[in-house]
Amino acid sequence: MKCLHLSRTPRRGLGLLWTDQGLALSQSQSTPNQSRTQQAWHWQALGERERRPSLRESWPDPLQLRAARLRSGFQAQALAMAVPEAQLKRFSLQLEPGLAPKQMHAQIQAQLGPLLPWPVAEVVWDFQLANEEVAHPANRGPAWLQAALQAQPQQAVEVVATPRAWVSACEQWCRAAGLHLVRLEPPWQADSRWQSHCAQHAEQAPLPLPSSGLSAHQQAVLGGLALGVVMP
């Protein structure tokens, strides 16, 4: 959904999820062969005394994350996180075809205004075209397909939005933990990235993290987050 101050793709990336039982980390590291990565996993259980404060806060104690990263041995500092469902709004909008980027952004923002529970100036939002795989200049597809797309009366676009105040607080929490937040995205986007990756590299499918209680979906989100840092 969002890359924050990311001027280049890091070689190592960290994904983070947590439950009321502990913290789960995944580190992706790119290899000389850019189509492959090395993936590592770590689960840090929290004791009862550590769990109580975290249940009242939006994020765990930064010191707990620092300790988990130290125990894991992971060196990545670039972090990706999933936006909680409670902080996320998703919309399917229709735009005129053939718009320039500035016009597209203006139309999306105008349509978002009445739909959001927050002022549009106070949200961070991102979008993806329904046919983005052929709309990108580097992969435009055959001329007949482009002509058909331009002839369509409407262009479908998927939009996600989250409060800017939540994003700022999340960045501050990451800095307190000694990490650099470079990516925020919906859980389903990270899950989809991991599923696609595993379809190409079946040997990298993770074993369940012992005693974590993470579901297969949660662990796919975790792996997809870390992967999204090094292979956005």
Side-chain angles (χ1 to χ4, degrees), residues 150-211:
Q150 292 296 322
Q152 290 179 355
Q154 295 290 314
Q155 170 68 70
V157 60
E158 295 292 325
V159 184
V160 290
T162 193
R164 188 177 299 277
W166 185 89
V167 173
S168 297
C170 187
E171 287 184 278
Q172 293 174 12
W173 175 80
C174 290
R175 284 195 295 269
L179 296 170
H180 180 37
L181 180 65
V182 299
R183 190 176 188 90
L184 284 170
E185 62 186 350
W188 63 81
Q189 185 173 334
D191 184 311
S192 177
R193 181 185 302 110
W194 182 252
Q195 300 298 344
S196 297
H197 178 73
C198 286
Q200 301 177 41
H201 308 287
E203 75 282 358
Q204 293 195 27
L207 297 173
L209 287 171
S211 305

